[in-house]
Amino acid sequence: MGRYYRLTQKISDEMASEILRELREFQEVHTAEMTEGNKYLLLRTDEDLYSFVATKALNICRRVGNGCEISFARFAIEDLAS
């Protein structure tokens, strides 16, 4: 199961690409994707690593996204249907 995080401000496609590139460098991150319009960040990792990964994502978003922050929005439950 993954988790969606809402971005607190609009970011450019270039910023989104850089955020995803940096997140994907962490071996703990299984999936890092932006939704259409860069409004949400989808992260998948091991359940016990979400705190670590979310903190890394927040720091990267702040730095690359000019102060953009993230907040938990919802679980990605589509994985449960398969």
Side-chain angles (χ1 to χ4, degrees), residues 1-69:
M1 182 176 354
R3 297 182 185 190
Y4 283 98
Y5 294 89
R6 180 180 301 108
L7 279 68
T8 60
Q9 65 188 45
K10 185 155 178 61
I11 61 170
S12 69
D13 289 340
E14 293 80 17
M15 289 175 178
S17 292
E18 179 61 18
I19 289 167
L20 294 176
R21 186 193 66 74
E22 290 190 30
L23 282 171
R24 290 172 180 156
E25 288 181 356
F26 292 102
Q27 69 181 27
E28 296 85 0
V29 175
H30 301 304
T31 303
E33 300 172 0
M34 289 286 183
T35 62
E36 189 173 332
N38 302 327
K39 293 181 181 180
Y40 292 91
L41 170 64
L42 170 61
L43 292 174
R44 288 190 180 94
T45 188
D46 295 332
E47 191 62 36
D48 60 334
L49 294 176
Y50 272 105
S51 179
F52 170 80
V53 170
T55 299
K56 293 293 183 186
L58 175 61
N59 291 336
I60 292 168
C61 286
R62 281 181 180 163
R63 180 173 42 78
V64 176
N66 295 324
C68 179
E69 297 190 3

